[in-house]
Amino acid sequence: MSIPYYRMRDHYYRMIGSKCEKCSAQYFPPVNICRRCKNTRLESVEMPRDGSILGYTLQKESVAGFEEQEPMVFGLIQLSNGVRVVAQIVDMPYESLKIGTKVTAVFRRVKADGSSGQIFYGYKFGPVRSGISKATTD
Ligand SMILES: [Zn+2]
């Protein structure tokens, strides 16, 4: 396993962002300086998994290594705490999407490293289902 990926795994599996201790602004990915008040004291916080779609787009051709996932749908997601995230949308046909569609974070395979066989996982967004969303290995 590569060291950078190992060190960053919490950011991929749990969506850890940061929260300003002074003005409570939240960020994802985490930042070291609050953009609102310039405070440098921020704590780590886990982002909520639920959100809604603010915008979306269909990418018919992808960069090398992602051909098997074509076409890919990407969306601008507003999490329930107001933080915005750009992420892949999965398990939802492009034609079914609308501005405001509710989604939830799911953890999925992002890509496999051909030389090491290591599989990288990360967050994507999918349909809201009853019960707890769980990571899958597909
Ligand atoms: Zn602040």
Side-chain angles (χ1 to χ4, degrees):
M1 180 174 281
S2 68
I3 290 171
Y5 180 75
Y6 183 77
R7 285 185 181 152
M8 293 294 291
R9 69 193 186 286
D10 267 1
H11 294 278
Y12 298 118
Y13 287 95
R14 292 179 50 217
M15 292 180 64
I16 303 298
S18 56
K19 179 179 180 181
C20 177
E21 293 183 1
K22 189 172 171 187
C23 76
S24 297
Q26 293 188 50
Y27 302 93
F28 182 80
V31 298
N32 295 318
I33 300 172
C34 178
R35 293 184 200 126
R36 187 191 290 169
C37 75
K38 309 302 179 200
N39 181 27
T40 56
R41 293 179 59 89
L42 293 98
E43 60 181 332
S44 293
V45 292
E46 185 167 358
M47 295 290 110
R49 292 188 174 196
D50 54 316
S52 59
I53 295 174
L54 292 180
Y56 55 96
T57 188
L58 182 68
Q59 179 174 308
K60 292 185 176 175
E61 292 184 52
S62 302
V63 295
F66 292 87
E67 296 88 348
E68 68 182 43
Q69 297 183 52
E70 290 175 0
M72 298 169 83
V73 179
F74 290 93
L76 176 62
I77 313 297
Q78 181 157 331
L79 302 176
S80 61
N81 65 356
V83 171
R84 294 176 175 183
V85 179
V86 173
Q88 188 178 352
I89 296 173
V90 294
D91 301 337
M92 302 173 81
Y94 179 76
E95 298 73 23
S96 74
L97 300 177
K98 293 187 172 91
I99 304 298
T101 298
K102 301 290 185 196
V103 289
T104 191
V106 294
F107 292 80
R108 294 290 174 79
R109 185 176 73 175
V110 174
K111 69 174 204 165
D113 181 338
S115 59
S116 71
Q118 181 179 353
I119 297 173
F120 295 86
Y121 290 88
Y123 61 87
K124 299 180 180 183
F125 283 81
V128 175
R129 295 192 172 101
S130 59
I132 299 168
S133 63
K134 60 184 180 184
T136 61
T137 55
D138 60 349

